[in-house]
Amino acid sequence: MRRPETGPSNPASASCFGTSVALRGDTLVVGAPNDDESFVNQGSAYVYINADPIWPQQAKLVAADGRASDFFGYSVAIDGDRVAVGSYLRNNGSNIDQGAVYVFGRS
């Protein structure tokens, strides 16, 4: 079994990289829900594609509408060419900590 050659492209302490992991075929997605993208604990997810024998990073996913303490990347899943990323404390208007799921397609 091989592993990614490197961790995230911009490693940060306490980002919780690896909290969630999904692997399907040649695609690996790794969540980092405490990553401070633009806000504290906004979160992110990293996509790696197998390029035998290494797994180079292909993308860093973030919520375009992300805010502090959304914890985007707490859960991740892969289905075909789509990646789903959970943001379990995302606020929706007056609904505090309602949560959200973001779906990304491969381009």
Side-chain angles (χ1 to χ4, degrees):
M1 180 172 227
R2 295 185 172 95
R3 60 181 179 80
E5 183 178 68
T6 62
S9 59
N10 57 342
S13 63
S15 68
C16 292
F17 179 84
T19 293
S20 56
V21 176
L23 176 66
R24 184 166 184 142
D26 288 343
T27 305
L28 172 67
V29 180
V30 181
N34 291 33
D35 191 17
D36 297 341
E37 178 61 25
S38 297
F39 303 96
V40 173
N41 295 333
Q42 178 181 344
S44 63
Y46 295 83
V47 179
Y48 298 88
I49 304 295
N50 185 4
D52 195 23
I54 62 171
W55 290 73
Q57 182 181 319
Q58 295 296 306
K60 179 180 181 181
L61 306 176
V62 295
D65 61 350
R67 296 287 181 251
S69 299
D70 281 351
F71 298 100
F72 177 93
Y74 188 79
S75 56
V76 296
I78 303 170
D79 182 28
D81 286 339
R82 291 179 299 240
V83 170
V85 181
S87 181
Y88 84 100
L89 289 181
R90 174 74 179 138
N91 293 339
N92 184 11
S94 62
N95 297 322
I96 296 174
D97 298 341
Q98 178 180 15
V101 174
Y102 296 82
V103 179
F104 299 85
R106 186 177 302 199
S107 57

